[in-house]
Amino acid sequence: MPDATGLELIAAELREAEGLGEEAVRDTLFFRERATLEIDPAHIRATLEHLRGKGYTFMASLHGVDYYPQEPRLGVLYELLDMERVDRITVKLRVHSDAPALDSVTPAWPTANHQEREVYDLFGVNFKGHPDLRRILMPEDYEGHPQRRDFPIGGEPVIFTYNEPAR
Amino acid sequence: MSATATEANEELLTLNMGPHHPATHGVLRLLVTLQGEVVRDIKPIVGYVHTGIEKTAEDKSYWKVIPVVERMDYLAYYFNAMSFCGAVETLLEEQVPPRAQYLRVIHMELNRIMSHLVWLGTSALDLGAISMFWYCFRERELILDLFEMSSGQRMHTRYFQVGGVIEDIPQGFARKLREFTKLMPKRADQYGDLLNRNEIVLQRLRGTCPLDAQKLLSFGVTGPLLRAAGNPWDLRKAAPYCSYGDFDFKIPVGTVGDNYDRFAVRLAEIYESVKIIEQALEGLPEGPYITANRKVALPPRHELATSMEALIHHFKLVTEGFRVPPGEIYYPIESPRGELGCFVRSDGSAKPARVHMRDPSFVNLQAFSSMAEGSYIADLIATLAMLDPILGGIDR
Amino acid sequence: MATGGVGVEIKREPVDPQTLRVTQLKASQLLRGAAVQGPTVPAHLEGGDLERHVEERVLTTTLDRAVAWARSNSFFPATFGLACCAIEMMSIVAARVDVARFGFEAFRASPRQADLLILSGRVSIKMAPIVRRIYDQMLEPKWAISMGACCSSMGVFNNYALVPADKFMPIDVHVPGCPPRPEALMHGILKLRSMVQDDPELGWRERYEAVGTEEVLPGA
């Protein structure tokens, strides 16, 4: 992992990089020896390209989190890995649930294909520029985004003979 | 279907394989676009065994999540539990005693061998070498006997707990394990002999569906598939966790990245896992098998009769569970299929706020289309077998 | 009185033909499982009609039993593995708990050729219509075993994504466990075998007064 100072250096570089500016990096977090960069959702592609240039060439995971009830509610996390130096860094961003749109990073990182579809399916985040954005785990015509925290967990009572529904 | 020219062999046919299919290793649905018998495109459709494990995990206290999460990648249940327990232990800043770490390593490597045996048996079944199924499952029964000795269950054992393992190994486990480690390399030799000189297996696997390491990395593929293409990336060596750094073992690496290399890498990994188990058994340290922190781990039952604090701890742990300080963590480990990562977000309460498993099969499946493009249907079946997808992990 | 060679006494007694007929009728009634006293033979039949009536009953009963015996000893399970239980189902095919001892090793991939559907694993809402279609494609007589806790009840996961198998198809035997040991699954299959062999009237068909299931095509 980049240590705390290394993380601040990366954040400073990102802020100074072209096209990104001061608002690009919202926060840095160094927690349990792991580095997290919280960025502005509009700059996700540029941030990931910058980090790829720094050596983080492998995207290990792309997943979503629901920070209900805090807004902006829907978070998307990108886990990047530098295989040469065995370094990991997390890039985090949050979008509002009213307008959950985000640039897709699939054209540059093919591994994000199924994983962005999963975030769309379970959280409802729209990835602009994704080649094939449709539901992957739920049936195609399912309504609702199950992994959101205000979606009920569901479930059925167990059917025995005494509570069997009338035929 | 689209006819692009007047010749019949220019027509593309879309064939639906699955989800109920004898050779798709679970409920995987493939939309295969064929030109004659040559595969032009594959679209995998998944979700047929989606169980909402991540949603169920948010509803349960941390130690109750372990059995739920174990049932995800159902051939690598110790690895699922390990990545979750590792994530929670990192959040809690809890130290796992060395005996527990070695016991975890022993069980994980036994699970790795078992997963590779099931893979070998079912893949050989797909290729037509049907007898392999019975030989591999014979060894698998020996491993499951060991699991039953240590935890009482054959599969989904909930043996790993946050802070260590739930119970120490019983008397006779070490002896039986030693017998197994003496036997397994000989059996693996037999499997190699049976398949490596079989002309049909060689013809079907050699040179079929290769994919270079660069493309695999862009698809996010890790594990034996990446190692078969020449990249020796293994988290047990690169970023050792759970005292893997104490053991001396090699990483089998292939050269070309075709189906035969994938098969050979997994077969060689069985020998390396046996070596790790032997070393762990020889060097098994004495000591506690779970952390002594009563706020996280249940106190031993004999204390409940004498100590009031033990009783209170037991009560709190069983009814509410332990609280984890707020934070987010991603904990990756090396499962038989690649990098298995667990993302846990805790909000300070006794239940996790988000549990996400980065499953290797889910990500590896994206490379399947590129691998099988331009080959025949028979090669598609062989490639799918060598890909080793586990639908429970893909669909969660 | 004559004595046989092994020291058995053989008695010969003349029997009145009328008494003999009554004994025959009683035996056929016993074979059919009805009480001896019950008037199950229509009273108006006489002579040749009566004989044919009895003959039919005896043969049918024996044929039924023979067919039930053959069916129950040669289930063709369909290869239908969904999740973790599928691995334990593969274990019963393996050598330790050998399902071939009983004659059930012929797992057919096509549902048209199978008569036993072992639902092994969790049935998600995306998979449920497909399971139902596979079950409908099987030909009568067919049976279904729900293996494991997830398809019998909701199992470990009681949430939005799963359906218990009883909700959309009739199940003959539920095998509990998570996953059930191969021996437990074998016990369940043998229970089904004894059900088919000894008393085919047990089970859901008798309860719902049904002969089989109806396939409802999507869009209909």
Side-chain angles (χ1 to χ4, degrees):
Chain A
M1 324 299 148
D3 56 357
T5 38
L7 178 61
E8 293 302 327
L9 286 172
I10 294 178
E13 273 180 32
L14 271 169
R15 287 192 177 105
E16 281 148 29
E18 271 187 45
L20 286 174
E22 276 302 312
E23 286 310 308
V25 181
R26 295 219 176 120
D27 201 4
T28 61
L29 182 60
F30 193 73
F31 176 72
R32 304 278 191 267
E33 315 289 312
R34 283 154 175 82
T36 307
L37 277 174
E38 189 175 338
I39 62 163
D40 183 13
H43 300 171
I44 178 64
R45 283 188 181 171
T47 311
L48 290 184
E49 285 314 309
H50 179 93
L51 287 172
R52 195 209 289 263
K54 293 215 62 90
Y56 297 97
T57 53
F58 185 79
M59 180 180 289
S61 180
L62 202 171
H63 45 268
V65 191
D66 189 357
Y67 290 100
Y68 185 82
Q70 311 162 17
E71 285 286 352
R73 193 175 137 186
L74 300 172
V76 183
L77 278 83
Y78 302 76
E79 301 282 339
L80 297 176
L81 166 64
D82 180 348
M83 283 181 163
E84 306 279 321
R85 279 168 294 167
V86 194
D87 236 4
R88 286 186 191 265
I89 191 169
T90 309
V91 177
K92 181 166 132 172
L93 54 85
R94 292 166 71 153
V95 282
H96 264 275
S97 52
D98 323 321
L102 194 52
D103 276 337
S104 162
V105 298
T106 306
W109 304 81
T111 181
N113 197 329
H114 282 196
Q115 306 193 60
E116 282 182 348
R117 280 177 64 188
E118 186 196 345
V119 176
Y120 164 68
D121 186 3
L122 297 178
F123 288 94
V125 177
N126 235 313
F127 289 93
K128 294 181 293 207
H130 191 279
D132 185 19
L133 193 67
R134 50 195 170 96
R135 287 188 180 265
I136 187 170
L137 295 178
M138 305 307 295
E140 301 261 335
D141 52 357
Y142 196 78
E143 278 172 29
H145 299 284
Q147 202 65 48
R148 289 193 179 185
R149 297 215 84 190
D150 53 354
F151 190 90
I153 192 154
E156 322 221 351
V158 180
I159 304 177
F160 295 100
T161 337
Y162 66 81
N163 64 353
E164 200 174 358
R167 334 178 203 133
Chain B
M1 289 205 325
S2 62
T4 49
T6 48
E7 296 169 23
N9 62 1
E10 293 290 322
E11 251 179 43
L12 292 173
L13 168 72
T14 306
L15 189 69
N16 176 53
M17 280 178 67
H20 175 240
H21 193 274
T24 53
H25 292 265
V27 280
L28 176 63
R29 182 170 171 205
L30 297 172
L31 285 178
V32 185
T33 309
L34 296 166
Q35 184 181 27
E37 212 184 295
V38 178
V39 173
R40 286 292 167 222
D41 187 28
I42 303 177
K43 273 198 169 39
I45 302 178
V46 295
Y48 289 97
V49 74
H50 173 65
T51 327
I53 289 184
E54 301 179 346
K55 184 88 184 175
T56 306
E58 287 176 16
D59 200 32
K60 306 201 181 298
S61 37
Y62 281 90
W63 69 307
K64 290 187 185 173
V65 172
I66 296 172
V68 171
V69 145
E70 260 180 348
R71 283 152 170 80
M72 196 195 69
D73 178 343
Y74 42 77
L75 277 184
Y77 27 100
Y78 283 107
F79 294 94
N80 300 336
M82 173 73 213
S83 62
F84 178 76
C85 290
V88 178
E89 282 151 13
T90 315
L91 280 174
L92 284 171
E93 288 186 304
E94 195 62 49
Q95 293 295 334
V96 180
R99 185 177 176 85
Q101 290 187 13
Y102 273 56
L103 285 176
R104 280 182 173 183
V105 166
I106 290 176
H107 283 85
M108 280 199 287
E109 292 306 312
L110 277 173
N111 199 344
R112 194 185 303 269
I113 300 176
M114 191 265 278
S115 169
H116 284 329
L117 282 172
V118 175
W119 160 81
L120 187 58
T122 49
S123 300
L125 197 63
D126 284 346
L127 293 177
I130 303 181
S131 320
M132 283 304 295
F133 180 78
W134 277 269
Y135 296 138
C136 292
F137 271 66
R138 174 188 59 184
E139 259 59 71
R140 178 175 175 259
E141 293 290 333
L142 295 177
I143 299 180
L144 291 182
D145 281 344
L146 285 166
F147 288 161
E148 201 177 346
M149 270 188 99
S150 66
S151 64
Q153 262 270 77
R154 286 159 53 106
M155 288 177 73
H156 304 324
T157 57
R158 68 106 179 86
Y159 185 64
F160 290 5
Q161 293 291 311
V162 175
V165 294
I166 199 165
E167 242 180 25
D168 209 343
I169 49 174
Q171 290 253 32
F173 185 85
R175 184 180 50 81
K176 217 167 173 186
L177 187 57
R178 239 172 243 126
E179 284 169 15
F180 174 76
T181 55
K182 284 204 195 59
L183 177 71
M184 192 65 219
K186 294 198 204 101
R187 291 280 157 86
D189 285 338
Q190 287 176 359
Y191 302 151
D193 281 341
L194 196 59
L195 292 173
N196 274 325
R197 285 189 293 212
N198 185 321
E199 193 55 40
I200 297 180
V201 167
L202 292 178
Q203 288 255 6
R204 283 193 77 166
L205 294 184
R206 265 203 207 287
T208 50
C209 305
L211 200 59
D212 61 295
Q214 202 46 46
K215 255 198 129 200
L216 285 173
L217 283 173
S218 77
F219 278 117
V221 174
T222 49
L225 292 168
L226 187 63
R227 293 198 278 275
N231 186 330
W233 177 254
D234 188 330
L235 279 171
R236 294 175 290 170
K237 285 276 195 201
Y241 55 93
C242 194
S243 68
Y244 265 108
D246 295 351
F247 306 116
D248 171 39
F249 60 100
K250 296 202 189 59
I251 306 288
V253 169
T255 45
V256 178
D258 59 0
N259 281 335
Y260 183 76
D261 277 346
R262 294 168 192 143
F263 156 78
V265 160
R266 287 203 183 96
L267 193 59
E269 277 186 5
I270 295 181
Y271 295 99
E272 301 303 319
S273 291
V274 169
K275 267 195 231 153
I276 298 177
I277 297 174
E278 279 171 348
Q279 292 170 45
L281 194 57
E282 292 312 307
L284 190 61
E286 295 298 322
Y289 52 86
I290 198 165
T291 176
N293 185 355
R294 296 275 182 265
K295 302 226 184 302
V296 164
L298 285 176
R301 288 209 76 97
H302 63 260
E303 273 186 32
L304 294 183
T306 49
S307 157
M308 191 60 197
E309 286 102 16
L311 194 64
I312 297 176
H313 279 135
H314 184 102
F315 178 75
K316 285 297 288 181
L317 282 174
V318 170
T319 50
E320 189 194 354
F322 52 83
R323 286 170 188 253
V324 176
E328 296 174 355
I329 203 89
Y330 175 75
Y331 191 86
I333 64 169
E334 183 78 21
S335 89
R337 276 157 271 286
E339 174 174 322
L340 175 68
C342 183
F343 172 79
V344 175
R345 173 181 167 242
S346 69
D347 54 1
S349 72
K351 297 186 178 170
R354 170 82 167 123
V355 175
H356 170 81
M357 306 292 283
R358 181 259 188 221
D359 187 76
S361 307
F362 186 58
V363 182
N364 293 354
L365 193 62
Q366 298 174 99
F368 182 44
S369 181
S370 306
M371 277 183 200
E373 209 175 302
S375 62
Y376 295 119
I377 298 184
D379 296 333
L380 172 112
I381 302 291
T383 311
L384 186 58
M386 294 302 131
L387 193 77
D388 197 10
I390 292 290
L391 268 299
I394 295 180
D395 290 345
R396 267 162 280 129
Chain C
M1 269 197 295
T3 34
V6 205
V8 173
E9 281 192 12
I10 302 173
K11 275 202 287 191
R12 287 179 213 276
E13 279 174 1
V15 182
D16 178 18
Q18 285 296 80
T19 329
L20 206 66
R21 174 154 303 160
V22 170
T23 317
Q24 266 183 344
L25 289 173
K26 283 183 184 163
S28 72
Q29 282 162 26
L30 279 172
L31 272 175
R32 254 183 298 149
V36 180
Q37 283 84 10
T40 42
V41 178
H44 61 278
L45 288 179
E46 290 217 332
D49 291 331
L50 192 57
E51 276 182 23
R52 239 171 296 137
H53 186 267
V54 168
E55 240 177 295
E56 266 175 22
R57 293 294 173 278
V58 171
L59 267 176
T60 310
T61 312
T62 317
L63 188 60
D64 264 343
R65 287 183 161 263
V67 166
W69 176 87
R71 276 185 185 149
S72 67
N73 275 309
S74 64
F75 288 134
F76 280 13
T79 57
F80 202 81
L82 290 167
C84 351
C85 284
I87 315 287
E88 292 292 50
M89 188 172 73
M90 286 197 264
S91 284
I92 64 168
V93 185
R96 185 176 280 192
V97 181
D98 189 9
V99 82
R101 291 182 280 163
F102 305 101
F104 307 146
E105 84 277 13
F107 275 73
R108 317 303 299 169
S110 162
R112 300 257 183 230
Q113 299 170 1
D115 59 6
L116 176 61
L117 188 68
I118 304 185
L119 262 181
S120 52
R122 37 209 198 227
V123 187
S124 72
I125 49 180
K126 208 166 170 180
M127 193 65 193
I130 296 166
V131 176
R132 183 62 210 229
R133 274 188 77 178
I134 304 268
Y135 184 74
D136 288 333
Q137 284 176 351
M138 287 162 68
L139 304 172
E140 289 286 344
K142 55 187 174 182
W143 299 277
I145 289 184
S146 159
M147 174 188 179
C150 283
C151 39
S152 311
S153 49
M154 294 287 266
V156 189
F157 319 99
N158 198 340
N159 59 23
Y160 63 90
L162 294 188
V163 188
D166 286 299
K167 230 185 165 181
F168 60 88
M169 65 183 264
I171 302 280
D172 292 282
V173 175
H174 298 83
V175 182
C178 192
R181 288 186 63 103
E183 291 89 348
L185 177 60
M186 211 59 239
H187 182 76
I189 298 180
L190 292 178
K191 252 199 152 56
L192 180 70
R193 183 179 82 159
S194 71
M195 195 175 98
V196 173
Q197 204 168 25
D198 299 328
D199 202 343
E201 303 310 323
L202 270 184
W204 59 270
R205 286 183 172 85
E206 180 74 1
R207 243 170 74 227
Y208 295 119
E209 291 148 18
V211 182
T213 55
E214 212 177 76
E215 178 172 5
V216 177
L217 291 170

